[in-house]
Every structure is written in structure tokens, then in C-alpha cells.
Amino acid sequence: MAVQTAETATNPTVDLGPAAALSCRECGHRVPLGPVFACEECFGPLEIAYDFSDYDTEELRKRIEAGPANIWRYAPLLPVPADVATKPNINPGWTKLVQADNLARELGVTGGLYVKDDSGNPTHSFKDRVVAQAIEAARAFGFTTLSCSSTGNLAGAVGAAAARAGFRSCVFIPHDLEQGKVVMAAVYGGELVGIEGNYDDVNRFCSELIGDPAGEGWGFVNVNLRPYYAEGSKTLAYEICEQLGWKLPDQIVVPIASGSQLTKIDKGLKELIELGLVEDKPYKIFGAQAEGCSPVSTAYKAGHDVVRPQKPNTIAKSLAIGNPADGPYVLDIARRTGGAVEDVTDEQVVDAIKLLARTEGIFAETAGGVTVGVTKKLIENGVLDPSLTTVVLNTGDGLKTLDAVAGTGLTATIRPNLDSFREAGLA
Amino acid sequence: MAVQTAETATNPTVDLGPAAALSCRECGHRVPLGPVFACEECFGPLEIAYDFSDYDTEELRKRIEAGPANIWRYAPLLPVPADVATKPNINPGWTKLVQADNLARELGVTGGLYVKDDSGNPTHSFKDRVVAQAIEAARAFGFTTLSCSSTGNLAGAVGAAAARAGFRSCVFIPHDLEQGKVVMAAVYGGELVGIEGNYDDVNRFCSELIGDPAGEGWGFVNVNLRPYYAEGSKTLAYEICEQLGWKLPDQIVVPIASGSQLTKIDKGLKELIELGLVEDKPYKIFGAQAEGCSPVSTAYKAGHDVVRPQKPNTIAKSLAIGNPADGPYVLDIARRTGGAVEDVTDEQVVDAIKLLARTEGIFAETAGGVTVGVTKKLIENGVLDPSLTTVVLNTGDGLKTLDAVAGTGLTATIRPNLDSFREAGLA
């Protein structure tokens, strides 16, 4: 992993630990660390390039294992200063890797099945991981306001993290969101601005604001802070491997929204191999979408390298990105690792949420229904090998998408006496 | 801590680790471990008596520190078998102890303020701790069905834990609960039975069922398994002290529903002192209630030793027990430790939920609003000393009581352009 110290020296005031520069994923052009996200040469996406050259494998492993029970145990591998754990942040991560023996039995998995349950994060979705990174980048770049456009999980994650870290927050949402979602985002006390328009209008407005003096000092977590933000998903890969006893899983099933999470999980696994923290062996990454928003799965099945945008229509709203920015990279990773991309219907999503709940006591968001449902389908189709160690991601919490399982209810209604109880056949 | 091996020998098939017998809290009469909850001599409540005599302090400390990141790290101090961590359970606990510097500044606390945030548990309330204990007792006694009466958090905790541990579950609730609460409890796939009547009717029916052959093989977590179940709250005390670096806090603020949690936290702290795991020094325990259900606080202020039942009328529904079984013990502990019992209005509960969210990014259930609100009031009244280390419990998750903060909403609505943004004064 090469370093270009000349370039990083142009921004000596920024201490983001092992992050050395920003590097274009398309053309490799490098620029100093800063709040930029697109390559000035080719408009490709910028990502973090690290300097890990000083690390001794066993020292690093010990340092990680002695670290806190959150993502900051991996600070040496993230774009954050070494003393990050002492700064106010909501400290997500180190969520449970649940050994899902009951679910394995139902699905016929014999090689070990695990659910990485990110509903255990502070605001109950994996978004806390990425926002925690963005907070540290915002600190480094001197931003005072944290912002994003959102229709759900991200709004809560930004509101909570900004409150604790001492940032002003200003989150933009479509003005007609459901009351429950508004409350979840508003309770943290930041500015919550309704935009008269749909989610696309909200996004367009945010892009306009970034280019305007009015947006000065504003860090948009998933726009001008995106290269830093996105790295948070690497921690899912790190945790899974460490929780498996520093072993790579054979197969991972990851939900696809923008596709960023899947690409960063791949990046994280590759880093662990290169650093010698896990054995260098093959792994397969599978992408999961809902049929009602399946641009990547459609492209995968058609053998295409590019992704044709779709208009989303699915209950899995946290995955409903019709034009996923990282789609082509996901296709590449799924093909290169021997994985696949598959989709399931909304009905299968609901069935999978219930299946996971009744077998493992985990109440997943619709995104978790998508990954469990796709896992089931891939096994039935002979694509996913049930004799191999498999990890399925649940990235959110069922309490936030109660509507999806609103049909679930009482199994019986009785009068408060034993006769009525016996009549109902419950004894 | 004495042991009566003769009595435990009468039930040699039950291995619940260091649990030696059941002991009456009123008269001290001891009986073998079994699914009983009331003393046959005086009808007083039974609780677990332990044999900790073999423990070496530093060995025990090392064993705990090397244990899993959940309550089972304290298995040597709980009524569970030594291999409990290998059995299917939802493994709650080891939730965050958040150093709440922002909240401390607002409240004027200088001695260190911490929030023990139990919303990080698997079903997002402290109930997971107690149900996890009940599961192990149910296993030991050969029960096959897990049951409870509930109007909220407990139903979900029992449903989830039973699903994962392989028990049938049958949860009884009033038939006319809000749809959201029904869904949260029903999703785990157990029997969810609506009783035509109110919560008191549900409870009465459950008592009837325990005494009937139809209830054979049924473990009611908070009735015939209550002595085991209740011990789960000790883990809050253990975690707080370990997370403070094996130190006792000076002051703890605990919500009061039945009062069981507060008494078990006191028991846990005393055990840590007796075992030498923390220094023997004074600590104060404060109880927190909502004004609309404040039987213990009312008795405390009146100087009474007994608690007069009230008809609950508060938004803090998870604390709305009008006739709290452990009320007298709570009064005793608050007075003995130099603490107090206080209550706050529903309006103060809502303000406190918002205060905690905007300072620390923690979205608490109404019960958390009660403890934070009471902490604020106790400081203002000069009862709680702001120069001492203080821990406030948040026992549940705001996502489950969204109605309480339903008034929270958009801070502005604008058209998707910069002029509208500037007019709103958001720049």
C-alpha cells in the first residue's frame, strides 16, 4: 500500500490517522484530504487511500483486541485521528454476530450461518457507522453544521450524532413524510426542514446548497463528506472477521441501496488479508435487492456491466435507490468473487422478516427481510452453498418499518377464564 | 454468605450455578430451588440465596473481564449454569454507559454524569436482562412454554427470547392494545392472546392459569419464575461498576415500576462490595416515578413505610404499576442509603426526553424521561449532589413510545430553492 507523502503534505493541518490522500476509483488520480468527492480529472468517485505500511500484524491485532467495544477499536484502519475514542461521538458498532442455528436448520445451512445484527447500533441502523466517520471528517475540516437529505434512517443517525458531538444539524426531508419518521428525526433538536417536493427535489436542492455561499461550513455527510462517510461500512467486514475468530466467512449476503456498503465490505476484507490479520482465501459476496427496486440484480442477470435506473416501488424503502451510484462496482465484485446479485418480492421480504423473528428473535427492518429472503432464494436455486460459512447482514430495525408486518396480530382472543382458554385450544 | 447445602441437596437435578436456595425476604425461611415465588411460611417474596464462598476476588475479576460482551460475563454471580453462554439466548447486556458531558453541563453536574443506556438491548429495553434469566430457569425446571402478561416491553422480550431459545411462547395482553404494540409482540411468531378485559383482568387470568392443570409446563417469567427473572436487574449494577473501572457510583437514579429493579441494583452493589470487587464506600439510590403513578414517591414524602395503591394515569406506561410489590423495600433502600424518591409530571417527562436527545443523541422511552426529569428536579431541589458521580438509567427506547413526543416536528418548511432557504433564516 503505497503512500504519496508529497501530496498529503499539502494539507498538514488535517489529522485523519492513516488516511493519506483521496484517490479516484476510476483514474487513480490523487488529491490531498479535503471535503471533495469527485475527481477533478475524470469526475470519478474519490475514496480514501491509506498508509498502513508501519503496521506489525500481531501488534495491530493486539491493539484492536484491547480497544473499545465499538468501531474505534479499528481506528488504525479508519480515516480518524488516533485519539478518536476520546471525542464525543455516538460510538456505534461491535454489534452482535448472532450464530443463527435455528434459521440454519430452516434453510438447510450446515456450514454455519450468522446474522450480523446492526439493529444494535445507537439509532438502530448501520447508518450510525458511516455518520460517525463523517463527524470526525467534519471536525477535521472545521465544519460546524452537519447536514444530509434523507427519508429515514440517515436523518436519525445524523441528528443523534450531531447532538452528541456538538454540531448544529440541519436535515432536509420531503415535507410530507409520515409523522412517525418526522418524530424520530426531530427529537434530537436539530433543524429539520421539510422541502415542498419529492426526494429527488430534496437531493437537487442539497447539491445547489453545497455550491452556494449559504452552504459554507456545512458538511453533507453523504455528499462532500462521502469519501470519509463511506469508509464506515468497512467496520462491518472487520467486526465479522474478528467475531469469527479472525477468519473470513466463505459467503456474505449484503443489501444493496447505493451499493456503497457492499463495495466497502469488500475493501475491508481485502485490507484484512493484506495486513495478514486473516488468512488469504477466497470469499464470495452476494448482493440483495427488492424486486421493486432491483437495478443491480437486473443488470447482473442480464450480464450487463452498467446499471439501468429504475423507478422504485417496494416496501424496502431504505434500499429504494433507483440509480445506485456504486452499481457497476457491485457487479464487478459479485462476479469477481464468485457471488451473485438476486432480488425478492415484497411478499418474500415480509415472510423473511417473520422467519428471522420466529427463529432467532431478531426483528429486522425490511432491508433485513431482503437479505434473509435472498439468502433463502439463493440456497433454493443452488447458487449459495449451504455447506459453507455464511454471514447475512441485518442493517436496520423492525421498529422503524412496523407497517411492513402490520398484518401480524393476535393469534386468539379469549375471555378471561379457563373455559375460554381451553376452547381456544391453547393448553 | 452462608450456604445451606442440606436444602439444595433436595433438588440435585437443578444446576443454576451459584444459586443455592430460595430464601424468604421477610422471614428468611429457605426452600430448594424450584418454580415457586412465595414463602410457604409467611407468604413473603422468595429471592435467590447464593454460595459465593469459593471465589477469589482477583480470579473472579479476571474471569468476568475475559467473559463475553453480554450479561453472561457475570454468570458466576447469577442463577445460571456455568456454561450458560453456550446455550441459545438473546444475550442482552453490556450496554453503553454514556459519559453525558453535555447533559451534565445543562444540569450543572460537575462530578461526572453517566447514562446507562439499556435501549441497546436486543429488543431495546432492560426486560431482555430479566427474561434471559427466566429462560435459563425455565430450562432447568423443564418448562416448555414461556408466558407472561404484558402491555408492552415484556411481551416483545419474551417473544424474542423464547423464539431463539426454542420455547413455545404464549403471551397474554389486553385485546384492545394499540396496533403497533401488538405487531411488536406478534412478529416473533408465538401465541399472542388478547384477553377481553383490562390489564388487571389479564393478570388475574394468568394467576388462575398457574394453579390449573392447563398451565402445567408453563413458566410465567414474572410470576412462578420471578425470583430468577428479577435477578437479571443485578447485572445493571455489575455493568455500571465495571464500566466505571470497578468503582461504585456515588448516586444512581432508577425508575420505579414494581420496584424490583431498584432493589436488585442495590443487591448487586452490595454483592460487589462483599466480594471485594469494588471498594466499600457509601452510595445513594434515588427512585424515580411519574406523578400520575407515584405511590412510592408519595409514601416517601409522607414518611410512610407502606405504599398506598394508586390508579395510574401517566404517559410513562412502562412504569404505571399502581400497587408496586417492592414499594416498601424501595422506601427502605432510599432511606438507608441517603437517597430519595421523587416524581415528575408528564410534561416534565417529555421535556426530559427531548433534553436527553438534544444533548446526548439518546432517544429514551418515557421511563428514561422520568429518570432524567427526576434527576433535574432533585438537583434543583438540592437533594442530589451535583459534585458527585451520578448514573441515570434509561431502561427503554423512544421508538416504542413515539406518541409521547408526537408534538415534535419540522422546524421549517421551504420550497426547493436557495431563496426560500434564505427567507427561512436557515443559512
PDB file of all heavy atoms in Angstrom, chain A residues 86-108:
ATOM      1  N   THR A  86     -11.690   9.374  22.387  1.00  0.00           N
ATOM      2  CA  THR A  86     -11.860  10.336  23.485  1.00  0.00           C
ATOM      3  C   THR A  86     -12.781  11.490  23.098  1.00  0.00           C
ATOM      4  O   THR A  86     -13.131  12.317  23.931  1.00  0.00           O
ATOM      5  CB  THR A  86     -10.502  10.943  23.904  1.00  0.00           C
ATOM      6  OG1 THR A  86     -10.007  11.745  22.812  1.00  0.00           O
ATOM      7  CG2 THR A  86      -9.489   9.854  24.231  1.00  0.00           C
ATOM      8  N   LYS A  87     -13.153  11.568  21.810  1.00  0.00           N
ATOM      9  CA  LYS A  87     -14.008  12.668  21.352  1.00  0.00           C
ATOM     10  C   LYS A  87     -15.483  12.270  21.450  1.00  0.00           C
ATOM     11  O   LYS A  87     -15.812  11.101  21.338  1.00  0.00           O
ATOM     12  CB  LYS A  87     -13.659  13.013  19.894  1.00  0.00           C
ATOM     13  CG  LYS A  87     -12.237  13.554  19.751  1.00  0.00           C
ATOM     14  CD  LYS A  87     -11.841  13.669  18.277  1.00  0.00           C
ATOM     15  CE  LYS A  87     -10.367  13.925  18.115  1.00  0.00           C
ATOM     16  NZ  LYS A  87      -9.975  15.305  18.388  1.00  0.00           N
ATOM     17  N   PRO A  88     -16.371  13.265  21.638  1.00  0.00           N
ATOM     18  CA  PRO A  88     -17.783  12.894  21.741  1.00  0.00           C
ATOM     19  C   PRO A  88     -18.344  12.431  20.399  1.00  0.00           C
ATOM     20  O   PRO A  88     -18.296  13.158  19.412  1.00  0.00           O
ATOM     21  CB  PRO A  88     -18.468  14.186  22.210  1.00  0.00           C
ATOM     22  CG  PRO A  88     -17.548  15.282  21.819  1.00  0.00           C
ATOM     23  CD  PRO A  88     -16.160  14.717  21.826  1.00  0.00           C
ATOM     24  N   ASN A  89     -18.822  11.204  20.374  1.00  0.00           N
ATOM     25  CA  ASN A  89     -19.393  10.590  19.185  1.00  0.00           C
ATOM     26  C   ASN A  89     -20.384   9.556  19.721  1.00  0.00           C
ATOM     27  O   ASN A  89     -20.386   9.294  20.924  1.00  0.00           O
ATOM     28  CB  ASN A  89     -18.262   9.937  18.363  1.00  0.00           C
ATOM     29  CG  ASN A  89     -18.635   9.739  16.900  1.00  0.00           C
ATOM     30  OD1 ASN A  89     -19.674   9.180  16.590  1.00  0.00           O
ATOM     31  ND2 ASN A  89     -17.783  10.206  16.007  1.00  0.00           N
ATOM     32  N   ILE A  90     -21.247   9.005  18.892  1.00  0.00           N
ATOM     33  CA  ILE A  90     -22.196   8.042  19.475  1.00  0.00           C
ATOM     34  C   ILE A  90     -21.643   6.625  19.489  1.00  0.00           C
ATOM     35  O   ILE A  90     -22.307   5.703  19.950  1.00  0.00           O
ATOM     36  CB  ILE A  90     -23.599   8.103  18.831  1.00  0.00           C
ATOM     37  CG1 ILE A  90     -23.520   8.001  17.310  1.00  0.00           C
ATOM     38  CG2 ILE A  90     -24.333   9.372  19.220  1.00  0.00           C
ATOM     39  CD1 ILE A  90     -24.895   7.835  16.685  1.00  0.00           C
ATOM     40  N   ASN A  91     -20.420   6.457  19.020  1.00  0.00           N
ATOM     41  CA  ASN A  91     -19.687   5.204  19.207  1.00  0.00           C
ATOM     42  C   ASN A  91     -20.469   3.950  18.815  1.00  0.00           C
ATOM     43  O   ASN A  91     -20.725   3.077  19.641  1.00  0.00           O
ATOM     44  CB  ASN A  91     -19.222   5.087  20.663  1.00  0.00           C
ATOM     45  CG  ASN A  91     -18.397   6.276  21.082  1.00  0.00           C
ATOM     46  OD1 ASN A  91     -17.745   6.908  20.248  1.00  0.00           O
ATOM     47  ND2 ASN A  91     -18.415   6.599  22.363  1.00  0.00           N
ATOM     48  N   PRO A  92     -20.810   3.839  17.538  1.00  0.00           N
ATOM     49  CA  PRO A  92     -21.565   2.670  17.090  1.00  0.00           C
ATOM     50  C   PRO A  92     -20.665   1.444  16.974  1.00  0.00           C
ATOM     51  O   PRO A  92     -19.465   1.501  17.237  1.00  0.00           O
ATOM     52  CB  PRO A  92     -22.052   3.109  15.718  1.00  0.00           C
ATOM     53  CG  PRO A  92     -21.018   4.072  15.241  1.00  0.00           C
ATOM     54  CD  PRO A  92     -20.536   4.789  16.474  1.00  0.00           C
ATOM     55  N   GLY A  93     -21.276   0.358  16.508  1.00  0.00           N
ATOM     56  CA  GLY A  93     -20.506  -0.832  16.163  1.00  0.00           C
ATOM     57  C   GLY A  93     -20.339  -1.842  17.271  1.00  0.00           C
ATOM     58  O   GLY A  93     -20.909  -1.704  18.349  1.00  0.00           O
ATOM     59  N   TRP A  94     -19.513  -2.851  16.944  1.00  0.00           N
ATOM     60  CA  TRP A  94     -19.332  -4.036  17.793  1.00  0.00           C
ATOM     61  C   TRP A  94     -20.707  -4.627  18.131  1.00  0.00           C
ATOM     62  O   TRP A  94     -20.999  -5.016  19.254  1.00  0.00           O
ATOM     63  CB  TRP A  94     -18.520  -3.716  19.048  1.00  0.00           C
ATOM     64  CG  TRP A  94     -17.835  -4.939  19.595  1.00  0.00           C
ATOM     65  CD1 TRP A  94     -18.002  -5.490  20.840  1.00  0.00           C
ATOM     66  CD2 TRP A  94     -16.880  -5.801  18.934  1.00  0.00           C
ATOM     67  NE1 TRP A  94     -17.229  -6.615  20.986  1.00  0.00           N
ATOM     68  CE2 TRP A  94     -16.535  -6.832  19.838  1.00  0.00           C
ATOM     69  CE3 TRP A  94     -16.308  -5.812  17.656  1.00  0.00           C
ATOM     70  CZ2 TRP A  94     -15.635  -7.852  19.517  1.00  0.00           C
ATOM     71  CZ3 TRP A  94     -15.409  -6.833  17.329  1.00  0.00           C
ATOM     72  CH2 TRP A  94     -15.083  -7.829  18.253  1.00  0.00           C
ATOM     73  N   THR A  95     -21.553  -4.646  17.101  1.00  0.00           N
ATOM     74  CA  THR A  95     -22.882  -5.247  17.234  1.00  0.00           C
ATOM     75  C   THR A  95     -22.749  -6.768  17.189  1.00  0.00           C
ATOM     76  O   THR A  95     -21.715  -7.303  16.790  1.00  0.00           O
ATOM     77  CB  THR A  95     -23.797  -4.772  16.102  1.00  0.00           C
ATOM     78  OG1 THR A  95     -23.171  -5.083  14.846  1.00  0.00           O
ATOM     79  CG2 THR A  95     -24.044  -3.270  16.178  1.00  0.00           C
ATOM     80  N   LYS A  96     -23.812  -7.435  17.585  1.00  0.00           N
ATOM     81  CA  LYS A  96     -23.756  -8.894  17.716  1.00  0.00           C
ATOM     82  C   LYS A  96     -23.622  -9.600  16.358  1.00  0.00           C
ATOM     83  O   LYS A  96     -24.291  -9.229  15.399  1.00  0.00           O
ATOM     84  CB  LYS A  96     -25.028  -9.396  18.396  1.00  0.00           C
ATOM     85  CG  LYS A  96     -25.119  -9.038  19.856  1.00  0.00           C
ATOM     86  CD  LYS A  96     -26.374  -9.652  20.466  1.00  0.00           C
ATOM     87  CE  LYS A  96     -26.754  -8.955  21.765  1.00  0.00           C
ATOM     88  NZ  LYS A  96     -25.709  -8.940  22.796  1.00  0.00           N
ATOM     89  N   LEU A  97     -22.786 -10.616  16.321  1.00  0.00           N
ATOM     90  CA  LEU A  97     -22.797 -11.580  15.220  1.00  0.00           C
ATOM     91  C   LEU A  97     -23.505 -12.801  15.789  1.00  0.00           C
ATOM     92  O   LEU A  97     -22.927 -13.568  16.570  1.00  0.00           O
ATOM     93  CB  LEU A  97     -21.373 -11.921  14.769  1.00  0.00           C
ATOM     94  CG  LEU A  97     -21.292 -12.880  13.577  1.00  0.00           C
ATOM     95  CD1 LEU A  97     -21.726 -12.177  12.295  1.00  0.00           C
ATOM     96  CD2 LEU A  97     -19.865 -13.417  13.402  1.00  0.00           C
ATOM     97  N   VAL A  98     -24.768 -12.948  15.437  1.00  0.00           N
ATOM     98  CA  VAL A  98     -25.611 -13.973  16.059  1.00  0.00           C
ATOM     99  C   VAL A  98     -25.465 -15.302  15.315  1.00  0.00           C
ATOM    100  O   VAL A  98     -25.685 -15.363  14.099  1.00  0.00           O
ATOM    101  CB  VAL A  98     -27.092 -13.536  16.054  1.00  0.00           C
ATOM    102  CG1 VAL A  98     -27.984 -14.630  16.625  1.00  0.00           C
ATOM    103  CG2 VAL A  98     -27.267 -12.239  16.838  1.00  0.00           C
ATOM    104  N   GLN A  99     -25.070 -16.331  16.043  1.00  0.00           N
ATOM    105  CA  GLN A  99     -24.999 -17.669  15.443  1.00  0.00           C
ATOM    106  C   GLN A  99     -26.424 -18.186  15.283  1.00  0.00           C
ATOM    107  O   GLN A  99     -27.086 -18.516  16.257  1.00  0.00           O
ATOM    108  CB  GLN A  99     -24.180 -18.592  16.336  1.00  0.00           C
ATOM    109  CG  GLN A  99     -23.882 -19.925  15.666  1.00  0.00           C
ATOM    110  CD  GLN A  99     -22.935 -20.786  16.481  1.00  0.00           C
ATOM    111  OE1 GLN A  99     -22.054 -20.265  17.166  1.00  0.00           O
ATOM    112  NE2 GLN A  99     -23.123 -22.095  16.404  1.00  0.00           N
ATOM    113  N   ALA A 100     -26.878 -18.250  14.041  1.00  0.00           N
ATOM    114  CA  ALA A 100     -28.302 -18.461  13.767  1.00  0.00           C
ATOM    115  C   ALA A 100     -28.597 -19.926  13.455  1.00  0.00           C
ATOM    116  O   ALA A 100     -28.968 -20.287  12.343  1.00  0.00           O
ATOM    117  CB  ALA A 100     -28.743 -17.553  12.630  1.00  0.00           C
ATOM    118  N   ASP A 101     -28.464 -20.776  14.477  1.00  0.00           N
ATOM    119  CA  ASP A 101     -28.643 -22.211  14.274  1.00  0.00           C
ATOM    120  C   ASP A 101     -30.076 -22.582  13.896  1.00  0.00           C
ATOM    121  O   ASP A 101     -30.289 -23.507  13.113  1.00  0.00           O
ATOM    122  CB  ASP A 101     -28.228 -22.984  15.540  1.00  0.00           C
ATOM    123  CG  ASP A 101     -26.728 -22.930  15.782  1.00  0.00           C
ATOM    124  OD1 ASP A 101     -25.984 -22.542  14.856  1.00  0.00           O
ATOM    125  OD2 ASP A 101     -26.297 -23.272  16.897  1.00  0.00           O
ATOM    126  N   ASN A 102     -31.041 -21.869  14.487  1.00  0.00           N
ATOM    127  CA  ASN A 102     -32.444 -22.183  14.158  1.00  0.00           C
ATOM    128  C   ASN A 102     -32.750 -21.843  12.711  1.00  0.00           C
ATOM    129  O   ASN A 102     -33.380 -22.618  11.985  1.00  0.00           O
ATOM    130  CB  ASN A 102     -33.397 -21.409  15.073  1.00  0.00           C
ATOM    131  CG  ASN A 102     -33.230 -21.759  16.544  1.00  0.00           C
ATOM    132  OD1 ASN A 102     -32.837 -22.869  16.888  1.00  0.00           O
ATOM    133  ND2 ASN A 102     -33.523 -20.804  17.415  1.00  0.00           N
ATOM    134  N   LEU A 103     -32.295 -20.673  12.288  1.00  0.00           N
ATOM    135  CA  LEU A 103     -32.509 -20.259  10.903  1.00  0.00           C
ATOM    136  C   LEU A 103     -31.749 -21.190   9.952  1.00  0.00           C
ATOM    137  O   LEU A 103     -32.253 -21.554   8.885  1.00  0.00           O
ATOM    138  CB  LEU A 103     -32.043 -18.807  10.721  1.00  0.00           C
ATOM    139  CG  LEU A 103     -32.208 -18.211   9.323  1.00  0.00           C
ATOM    140  CD1 LEU A 103     -33.673 -18.182   8.895  1.00  0.00           C
ATOM    141  CD2 LEU A 103     -31.610 -16.801   9.251  1.00  0.00           C
ATOM    142  N   ALA A 104     -30.551 -21.584  10.363  1.00  0.00           N
ATOM    143  CA  ALA A 104     -29.750 -22.507   9.539  1.00  0.00           C
ATOM    144  C   ALA A 104     -30.503 -23.803   9.297  1.00  0.00           C
ATOM    145  O   ALA A 104     -30.532 -24.312   8.166  1.00  0.00           O
ATOM    146  CB  ALA A 104     -28.409 -22.783  10.222  1.00  0.00           C
ATOM    147  N   ARG A 105     -31.137 -24.324  10.341  1.00  0.00           N
ATOM    148  CA  ARG A 105     -31.914 -25.555  10.189  1.00  0.00           C
ATOM    149  C   ARG A 105     -33.045 -25.373   9.178  1.00  0.00           C
ATOM    150  O   ARG A 105     -33.270 -26.221   8.327  1.00  0.00           O
ATOM    151  CB  ARG A 105     -32.483 -26.008  11.544  1.00  0.00           C
ATOM    152  CG  ARG A 105     -31.578 -27.007  12.277  1.00  0.00           C
ATOM    153  CD  ARG A 105     -32.295 -27.611  13.490  1.00  0.00           C
ATOM    154  NE  ARG A 105     -32.646 -26.588  14.488  1.00  0.00           N
ATOM    155  CZ  ARG A 105     -31.816 -26.152  15.429  1.00  0.00           C
ATOM    156  NH1 ARG A 105     -30.600 -26.640  15.522  1.00  0.00           N
ATOM    157  NH2 ARG A 105     -32.208 -25.231  16.286  1.00  0.00           N
ATOM    158  N   GLU A 106     -33.722 -24.229   9.283  1.00  0.00           N
ATOM    159  CA  GLU A 106     -34.859 -23.992   8.364  1.00  0.00           C
ATOM    160  C   GLU A 106     -34.384 -23.848   6.924  1.00  0.00           C
ATOM    161  O   GLU A 106     -35.082 -24.234   5.993  1.00  0.00           O
ATOM    162  CB  GLU A 106     -35.600 -22.709   8.771  1.00  0.00           C
ATOM    163  CG  GLU A 106     -36.291 -22.806  10.106  1.00  0.00           C
ATOM    164  CD  GLU A 106     -37.815 -22.827   9.977  1.00  0.00           C
ATOM    165  OE1 GLU A 106     -38.337 -22.732   8.844  1.00  0.00           O
ATOM    166  OE2 GLU A 106     -38.466 -22.933  11.022  1.00  0.00           O
ATOM    167  N   LEU A 107     -33.203 -23.260   6.753  1.00  0.00           N
ATOM    168  CA  LEU A 107     -32.714 -23.004   5.396  1.00  0.00           C
ATOM    169  C   LEU A 107     -31.818 -24.131   4.886  1.00  0.00           C
ATOM    170  O   LEU A 107     -31.392 -24.103   3.720  1.00  0.00           O
ATOM    171  CB  LEU A 107     -31.941 -21.673   5.351  1.00  0.00           C
ATOM    172  CG  LEU A 107     -32.722 -20.403   5.705  1.00  0.00           C
ATOM    173  CD1 LEU A 107     -31.838 -19.175   5.524  1.00  0.00           C
ATOM    174  CD2 LEU A 107     -33.983 -20.273   4.844  1.00  0.00           C
ATOM    175  N   GLY A 108     -31.520 -25.081   5.765  1.00  0.00           N
ATOM    176  CA  GLY A 108     -30.667 -26.188   5.348  1.00  0.00           C
ATOM    177  C   GLY A 108     -29.190 -25.829   5.260  1.00  0.00           C
ATOM    178  O   GLY A 108     -28.423 -26.491   4.556  1.00  0.00           O
TER     179      GLY A 108
END
